[in-house]
Amino acid sequence: MNAVAPSDGTRHDTVLWQRSLREQFPIVTAHPDVSYLDSAATSQKPRAVLDAVHTYLTTINANAGRGTYPWANRTTKLVERTRARVKEFLGDPAPDGSSVHFTSGTSEGLRAVARDWLVPLLEDGDEIVVPFADHRANLEPWLEAERLLAERGVRIRVRALPCQDVSGDYDHRAFAEVIGPRTRFVAATHVHHVYGGDMNVHRIRAAVGPDVPICLDAAQSVGHSPLRVGPDGLDVDFVVFSGHKAMALPGSGAVWARDVRGPAFRPGGWQGTPNTVGIVSLLAALDWLDAAGVERIESWTAGLATRLTDRLRHLDAYEILGCPTSLAADASVPSAQRRRGIVSFRHHDIPSDDLGFILYSHGFMVRADSLCQAGAKDSDGVVRVSLHVYNTEEEIDRLLTVLASLA
């Protein structure tokens, strides 16, 4: 494992640090003429993760929790070690009192929280507050919970978490309008998948008080930005994330549950064979990310996003979603909504799907559609550039050259 963050923040060391990490991604180095700018959809995998998977499958591959022979025992220990590693990675201050459950990703994890934990707790007249303008995976499970309860004769009220039109940030000034004495649960997003903003979840905790559980969709933060739970971090009760967005394999993910506000979280139904390969890849990915330095990764990708936004906002042909000045290099006052390595935009004359094809013809892989945003129509498509540590300043400059030629 050779992904080591530099000891100081000098420009020279940062460039060498990023270059050494980029070289650890075989798919990136094998295609030097292609720029992968879609890491919010899925991240590429470093060699350490690929090697860990290969080693596992060729040395001790077995089922977990179901055998007594050495391979099965070692696999079971790897699964349990990964549970502990997730808690450590999230900075869990009380790991003995929390739990980690593996899922296929964020969507399944949120649905499990809704069906298996939330539904049994709610009574007639209770209210839940959930986002109606974030990823659909963080809306549909709560609407499904409402339907399941209605089938049982229990009527709850699902209220929309208020958000600001321009920035996409939650509107903390309007929290008092939707949070009341019957509020029993809040679902929120850590980093928005369209606007790239840190959603200031700490403001929700301040508004709802100490007793209401909060479930956090961390699909766009784990592996991209630091996330610490607990009183000194984000005081939430669930953190749900996908491994494939955090440099692990597809089909892997986890629900971290604090198990304090309400009963302990236990997924319903028979728990069959776990995705042992995905879990092994997640363990390797978290180790790699820690060694590389997640804070350093966040700083690098935010810098690239600033480089893109600062020039793109001066091209009249484009509209940048979210608050464009929050990533501007010349912004005199730092925005309250910190932007991460995601920049979404539209061309005023070229449809977004067409622009996506044009950019691919120049070697850029971007997302170009409605981005699974709740409430969005196909006609609301945008182009999203989402960055990770393997992306470079040169790639951003080449992208800007192409975008400027279309302005």
Side-chain angles (χ1 to χ4, degrees):
M1 180 63 208
N2 57 351
V4 179
S7 57
D8 61 65
T10 65
R11 166 73 178 171
H12 177 71
D13 282 351
T14 298
V15 171
L16 292 179
W17 164 82
Q18 189 275 335
R19 187 178 301 165
S20 70
L21 297 187
R22 177 181 169 87
E23 292 172 352
Q24 296 176 42
F25 291 83
I27 194 171
V28 174
T29 57
H31 300 88
D33 297 327
V34 174
S35 295
Y36 182 78
L37 303 175
D38 196 21
S39 291
T42 196
S43 63
Q44 298 303 336
K45 321 306 175 191
R47 187 174 300 279
V49 171
L50 303 176
D51 288 347
V53 169
H54 180 267
T55 298
Y56 170 75
L57 288 175
T58 56
T59 58
I60 62 167
N61 178 43
N63 211 330
R66 286 165 172 78
T68 58
Y69 50 89
W71 290 2
N73 291 338
R74 290 175 65 186
T75 296
T76 300
K77 289 180 180 179
L78 277 174
V79 171
E80 294 308 313
R81 180 182 168 195
T82 308
R83 293 188 203 277
R85 191 69 181 87
V86 169
K87 296 179 183 182
E88 181 184 17
F89 191 80
L90 296 178
D92 188 344
D96 293 339
S98 62
S99 59
V100 171
H101 305 270
F102 296 112
T103 69
S104 64
T106 306
S107 297
E108 182 192 352
L110 292 170
R111 193 164 185 257
V113 173
R115 292 174 62 96
D116 302 329
W117 188 85
L118 181 62
V119 166
L121 290 181
L122 297 179
E123 299 177 352
D124 205 62
D126 284 344
E127 299 181 354
I128 64 175
V129 183
V130 304
F132 276 68
D134 297 356
H135 198 287
R136 288 182 60 187
N138 202 14
L139 173 62
E140 294 298 333
W142 320 118
L143 298 180
E144 182 183 14
E146 179 189 28
R147 292 192 296 270
L148 290 172
L149 286 163
E151 292 172 0
R152 304 174 189 180
V154 178
R155 305 291 175 178
I156 68 167
R157 185 176 184 184
V158 180
R159 310 197 65 168
L161 196 58
C163 63
Q164 300 176 20
D165 291 336
V166 175
S167 68
D169 192 12
Y170 298 139
D171 188 354
H172 65 280
R173 295 165 296 184
F175 284 169
E177 300 173 11
V178 298
I179 295 171
R182 295 303 299 270
T183 302
R184 298 289 182 262
F185 177 85
V186 177
T189 300
H190 189 200
V191 173
H192 202 282
H193 73 294
V194 177
Y195 304 105
D198 182 315
M199 302 299 281
N200 295 300
V201 176
H202 63 281
R203 291 175 174 169
I204 298 177
R205 171 56 68 204
V208 301
D211 300 324
V212 177
I214 297 175
C215 179
L216 189 65
D217 174 353
Q220 297 299 342
S221 54
V222 171
H224 298 256
S225 305
L227 194 168
R228 293 292 180 266
V229 297
D232 296 330
L234 294 178
D235 187 8
V236 297
D237 300 87
F238 297 93
V239 172
V240 189
F241 67 94
S242 301
H244 74 94
K245 297 179 190 288
M247 299 190 176
L249 294 185
S252 63
V255 175
W256 171 86
R258 185 185 300 281
D259 295 338
V260 172
R261 299 179 180 99
F265 172 62
R266 296 289 182 270
W270 176 257
Q271 300 301 299
T273 298
N275 177 8
T276 54
V277 178
I279 292 169
V280 166
S281 75
L282 181 59
L283 176 61
L286 297 182
D287 286 345
W288 190 92
L289 287 163
D290 258 348
V294 179
E295 291 185 357
R296 197 73 181 224
I297 290 173
E298 178 189 58
S299 177
W300 178 262
T301 57
L304 295 181
T306 299
R307 194 181 188 95
L308 173 58
T309 305
D310 197 49
R311 285 183 55 187
L312 188 61
R313 70 191 182 101
H314 295 294
L315 298 177
D316 293 338
Y318 296 94
E319 171 197 2
I320 301 175
L321 276 67
C323 179
T325 59
S326 64
L327 275 176
D330 61 354
S332 58
V333 179
S335 171
Q337 186 196 44
R338 295 170 293 166
R339 293 280 291 273
R340 308 304 190 189
I342 295 175
V343 180
S344 298
F345 55 90
R346 295 188 181 100
H347 193 288
H348 290 305
D349 298 316
I350 303 174
S352 295
D353 53 352
D354 290 344
L355 182 55
F357 282 116
I358 294 171
L359 292 178
Y360 178 71
S361 71
H362 290 274
F364 300 101
M365 296 181 179
V366 298
R367 179 81 176 264
D369 54 32
S370 59
L371 306 183
C372 299
Q373 185 175 13
K377 304 182 292 292
D378 290 341
S379 58
D380 297 328
V382 301
V383 171
R384 181 182 69 187
V385 171
S386 52
L387 305 155
H388 220 308
V389 71
Y390 35 74
N391 293 122
T392 66
E393 294 172 336
E394 290 75 17
E395 288 178 316
I396 298 302
D397 291 344
R398 287 192 294 105
L399 175 63
L400 282 163
T401 297
V402 174
L403 292 174
S405 72
L406 300 172

